[in-house]
Amino acid sequence: MKKIGMYIALFGVLAIVLPFFELQLRLLSWIDNWGEMTSWIIKIGLIVVGGILFFMASKNETNVTSENQGE
């Protein structure tokens, strides 16, 4: 889950940054068809959801590691 969260957040950041350089990811080009405000909400949502997945997976890995050391 950690890698999936990292990739989702990375796609969100790239979707925000790349248009400043006149570039766009083909995978996420459909976002701009929904309008400016909606596309910003989706892009920020990608970053937030990716961050949540990343940090929740990190937290679970830490708990599993500490439980295994206690045995």
Side-chain angles (χ1 to χ4, degrees):
M1 282 304 239
K2 190 173 181 178
K3 281 187 178 184
I4 293 171
M6 184 176 61
Y7 288 133
I8 291 172
L10 181 65
F11 282 140
V13 170
L14 288 175
I16 290 173
V17 173
L18 286 178
F20 292 112
F21 299 104
E22 305 282 332
L23 298 172
Q24 189 176 27
L25 293 173
R26 287 185 191 207
L27 181 65
L28 300 176
S29 63
W30 61 271
I31 292 174
D32 292 329
N33 294 337
W34 291 64
E36 187 174 347
M37 180 60 82
T38 307
S39 69
W40 275 102
I41 292 170
I42 293 171
K43 292 171 187 177
I44 292 171
L46 285 171
I47 295 171
V48 170
V49 170
I52 290 170
L53 287 174
F54 181 81
F55 288 114
M56 291 298 285
S58 297
K59 190 175 185 180
N60 287 341
E61 287 178 6
T62 304
N63 290 341
V64 170
T65 304
S66 64
E67 288 176 3
N68 288 340
Q69 290 176 354
E71 291 179 355

